[in-house]
Amino acid sequence: MFHPLRVSAIERITDDAVAVTLSVPPELRETFRHTPGQHLNVRYRVDGEEIRRSYSICAPAAEKPDDPVLRVGIRMVDGGTFSTYALKELAVGDPVEAMAPTGRFVLDPRPGHYAAIVGGSGITPVLSMAATLLAREPLARFCLIRSDRTAASTMFLDEVADLKDRHPDRFQLVTALSREEQAAGLPSGRLDRERLTELLPALLSVPDVDGWFLCGPLGLVRGAESALRALGANRARIHQEIFHVADEGADPATASRVTSPSESRLTATLDGRSGSWPVENGESLLDTMLRSRSDAPYACKGGVCGTCRAFLVSGEVEMDRNFALEPEETGAGFVLACQSRPVTPEVELDFDR
């Protein structure tokens, strides 16, 4: 369900990125109280066209009685309709519709040693995690390893520096720039698997870290995961959220095309209401549902954000690609409706689980 909000602040944080704050009316404060790492699905109309996008919340999570702060980071994407609009035309006071915060890439504050490897705008959810954790949990430590093109393109530079100043003994920061030499620190270059495999053991004991959070472009996340597994990190302690898949192509391990039965039918439950509809040739189960239920949840339609996650009650489907669900989720029966096509004549999804 989308709720009407208004833009209360817009800050330019790099040449191609802004931080946008949305005001939350008193009656929606509890609805928009987020867990560190969650994102917002926003809806807006540009030239009459409905645009939906997902943006991670970068602000620390607020506890009662403090008001929640909805601040998101938006970087301009080549050809990106909403990001271009946000940087060039969006103004304070403009209306924006948003769903309640969602997402399973989260870190609830608790004692322990945590670490993140992020690239570019992947800092956004991790900034909320680190700031909330260090403020609430005195027995927690956090190591942030970030990769950016140049210092000028680095999002939330001041906020991260402030974390280092306030928590010098519990916050470790390592920065790599791919297109610029630094006066101190790591030499210029990308953080790929080989480089991380050499770097990480010098920073911390990889197997002893209580939670790893990987966020950014597909190549960086996959390289970091591979390095961590090779260094002995427990798979269950590695969490990831991928941005910018389109720039690097589909994952050949998950990409597929299926021929659906000539007559298939989808039954789906959402918000306690069920319905059944024929699946037209070639369309995804999300598109089938949207023809009758405009409230069906989605944002990216690219298998990345996970907003359309649903439980497969019966039947079989195949997903074209999946960059959002962990192996444990697919093993438990969850699928992405935007990427799922029926393999059997009857398929049932439950969006409420």
Side-chain angles (χ1 to χ4, degrees):
M1 178 180 179
F2 282 94
H3 302 276
L5 305 175
R6 286 197 179 275
V7 176
S8 60
I10 301 176
E11 307 154 69
R12 179 75 69 164
I13 53 176
T14 71
D15 288 344
D16 63 350
V18 293
V20 176
T21 304
L22 303 174
S23 62
V24 181
E27 66 273 17
L28 292 176
R29 282 173 184 162
E30 297 314 308
T31 300
F32 282 98
R33 201 174 291 283
H34 74 280
T35 301
Q38 286 190 314
H39 62 265
L40 282 182
N41 293 318
V42 301
R43 182 169 68 178
Y44 200 80
R45 288 191 177 277
V46 178
D47 297 330
E49 179 187 1
E50 179 182 299
I51 304 295
R52 295 190 185 192
R53 293 291 183 272
S54 294
Y55 293 106
S56 295
I57 302 170
C58 59
E63 291 184 295
K64 295 180 181 179
D66 295 335
D67 292 343
V69 176
L70 292 183
R71 185 173 184 243
V72 300
I74 301 176
R75 166 159 276 161
M76 184 180 288
V77 177
D78 288 340
T81 305
F82 188 81
S83 63
T84 301
Y85 184 84
L87 265 78
K88 295 185 176 180
E89 300 185 46
L90 191 67
V92 172
D94 281 356
V96 173
E97 293 183 296
M99 300 174 72
T102 187
R104 299 167 301 285
F105 182 71
V106 297
L107 173 58
D108 281 312
R110 55 186 182 274
H113 191 186
Y114 303 93
I117 302 172
V118 306
S121 57
I123 183 61
T124 312
V126 171
L127 179 59
S128 178
M129 291 179 184
T132 308
L133 178 78
L134 295 170
R136 290 192 195 172
E137 181 48 68
L139 298 180
R141 292 180 292 151
F142 199 95
C143 175
L144 171 62
I145 303 158
R146 67 181 306 182
S147 174
D148 291 276
R149 297 190 303 271
T150 64
S153 71
T154 302
M155 297 174 68
F156 302 114
L157 200 59
D158 292 341
E159 288 84 348
V160 172
D162 183 57
L163 279 181
K164 183 65 177 171
D165 290 341
R166 281 189 284 138
H167 308 286
D169 298 329
R170 297 191 293 127
F171 182 66
Q172 183 180 13
L173 173 63
V174 178
T175 300
L177 300 178
S178 61
R179 301 181 186 176
E180 184 177 294
E181 290 292 348
Q182 305 179 82
L186 297 178
S188 174
R190 299 180 62 183
L191 285 181
D192 55 18
R193 180 187 187 280
E194 290 69 25
R195 198 173 187 199
L196 287 168
T197 302
E198 292 184 4
L199 172 65
L200 293 175
L203 298 175
L204 69 183
S205 175
V206 171
D208 294 330
V209 171
D210 296 291
W212 286 95
F213 296 86
L214 317 179
C215 189
L218 176 65
L220 175 106
V221 171
R222 290 288 163 82
E225 180 187 20
S226 178
L228 290 172
R229 295 296 299 276
L231 293 169
N234 187 324
R235 167 67 186 82
R237 296 183 181 180
I238 302 174
H239 314 281
Q240 55 185 270
E241 188 161 84
I242 295 171
F243 295 173
H244 313 312
V245 172
D247 292 340
E248 307 190 31
D251 183 347
T254 55
S256 66
R257 286 289 174 187
V258 301
T259 301
S260 300
S262 57
E263 294 184 0
S264 302
R265 197 163 188 84
L266 166 66
T267 299
T269 300
L270 173 64
D271 292 336
R273 294 192 294 126
S274 298
S276 183
W277 312 277
V279 181
E280 295 185 356
N281 187 35
E283 70 181 358
S284 69
L285 296 182
L286 174 65
D287 287 333
T288 298
M289 192 167 175
L290 283 172
R291 285 192 280 107
S292 301
R293 291 285 301 267
S294 61
D295 58 337
Y298 77 93
C300 75
K301 280 193 171 182
V304 177
C305 72
T307 304
C308 62
R309 174 181 182 262
F311 181 74
L312 180 63
V313 178
S314 62
E316 296 181 22
V317 304
E318 285 204 12
M319 289 192 284
D320 289 340
R321 62 182 195 173
N322 165 35
F323 297 103
L325 301 180
E326 302 277 356
E328 293 79 7
E329 294 175 285
T330 54
F334 288 95
V335 299
L336 299 175
C338 77
Q339 298 298 308
S340 293
R341 303 175 198 281
V343 175
T344 53
E346 299 284 341
V347 171
E348 182 175 356
L349 297 181
D350 186 346
F351 287 85
D352 293 341
R353 296 198 191 184

